[in-house]
Amino acid sequence: MRNKPLLIIVVGILAIGLGIGLGQYFMPEGEPAKPQIGGIFLVPAKPVVDFTLSQQANQPFTLADLKGHWSLLYFGYTFCPDVCPTTLTTLNRAMALLAKQGQDKDVAVWMVSVDPQRDSLEKLKEYTAFFNPKFRGATGERGEIDKLAKEFGVYYQIHKPEPGSDYYLVDHSAAIIVINPQGELQAVLTDTGSADKLASDLLSIKGYFEKARS
Amino acid sequence: MYRMLFLLSLLAFAGGAMAEDYTAGDLVITQVWARPTPPVASAGAAFLTLDNGKGPDDRLLSAQGDVSTTVELHTHHMENGVMEMRKVDDIPVPAGKTVKLQPGGLHVMLIGLKAPLVEGETFPLTLNFEKAGAVTVEVAVHQPPK
Ligand SMILES: [Cu+2]
């Protein structure tokens, strides 16, 4: 039993080695080098299950809305005083940087609220527009939010109000989900602190996608 | 000449963007600011830097203001990529240390904003320290530095 940690390490190394080997075996020749981004880049991109949320009254938000262009999804809530505004501000600045290179037109930004109890569609619309008039908000039934969150590896937890207070807090993943124009999960960006980094990561991701298709 | 300087200082004030420095006992309080909030947002956060270069160990016990119905001291933890915000009882300001309340970390949480925080405006906030006592600062509302 004493050698168990060592065994785990050895098995781990073998598994990683096997994984790399298989990856190279299956990688078609001429595939562009994976972009180095602040997060996870998926090769191949992962298909996304269909879902039904809402972006406005009587206007659903489904997988079809994520096709034909790039989409950046951020899961948060409007009661969030710091991290959500910071990320949306950074996204706005990153979009301005992309615009300088004519690379912003095919990128949509969505904030998906995991807190539909407090975030009405109307409220979300105004909230996202404050950061950039093109940013959109969506939310919906708990089951559909959970389905999408699970699909992207997004975690959140809604807390109960503390005794004596009438508000509650929500823990949530701070990552930005990148969906390619085929509506597939292409990347999860976790390094979201700088607009420069975000913009350059998005350019790398888009560049890879274009090259891989040509 | 003094008159000129006085006028200049008035101008700087009117600019709104100038962050003022404050002292409370031995503490120096700088970079007091808050991000503008969307009109529909019910919560906001204020940030500041506490420099305790000269004094004994101190603690920020609470903050209060009319800007929101509730004012609390909060912190953030990043756990495996998940951002967790929590209330804290106080914020220690050890002797010889500088403590920053800044985005992604410690902040004064403003819950139930009575009006949106508008860029270029300021609002008063009273900070209560264990040893340095109470001091009222003007929080400047502006975008975070890039
Ligand atoms: Cu907070």
Side-chain angles (χ1 to χ4, degrees), chain B residues 50-72:
Chain B
L50 300 168
D51 183 359
N52 192 8
K54 292 177 289 185
D57 289 351
D58 207 339
R59 285 188 301 160
L60 177 59
L61 299 175
S62 66
Q64 64 203 73
D66 286 334
V67 65
S68 60
T69 52
T70 307
V71 180
E72 294 179 347

Side-chain angles (χ1 to χ4, degrees), chain A residues 6 56 140 158 187:
Chain A
L6 182 66
Q56 274 181 57
I158 297 179

Side-chain angles (χ1 to χ4, degrees), chain B residues 13-118:
Chain B
F13 240 94
M18 250 212 33
E20 256 198 282
D21 293 355
Y22 299 87
T23 53
D26 291 316
L27 293 176
V28 181
I29 304 155
T30 61
Q31 294 171 57
V32 189
W33 69 284
R35 193 186 285 102
T37 57
V40 289
S42 50
F47 307 102
L48 47 104
T49 299
L50 300 168
D51 183 359
N52 192 8
K54 292 177 289 185
D57 289 351
D58 207 339
R59 285 188 301 160
L60 177 59
L61 299 175
S62 66
Q64 64 203 73
D66 286 334
V67 65
S68 60
T69 52
T70 307
V71 180
E72 294 179 347
L73 304 178
H74 279 200
T75 191
H76 281 107
H77 295 287
M78 188 68 124
E79 278 298 320
N80 298 320
V82 177
M83 197 45 107
E84 300 178 355
M85 179 164 65
R86 295 288 180 271
K87 190 177 169 182
V88 293
D89 292 332
D90 56 53
I91 296 173
V93 192
K97 290 275 160 60
T98 298
V99 175
K100 280 178 185 268
L101 279 67
Q102 61 189 354
L106 293 163
H107 55 275
V108 178
M109 178 88 172
L110 312 169
I111 298 157
L113 287 171
K114 293 172 187 168
L117 305 181
V118 177

Side-chain angles (χ1 to χ4, degrees), chain A residues 4 11 16 21 50 83 87 105 109 120-121 144 168 174 178 188 194 200:
Chain A
K4 206 172 178 190
V11 169
I16 291 167
D50 202 1
V83 179
T87 306
K105 295 279 187 289
V109 177
S120 67
L121 293 170
E144 290 296 299
Y168 55 89
V178 183
V188 177
S194 133
S200 73

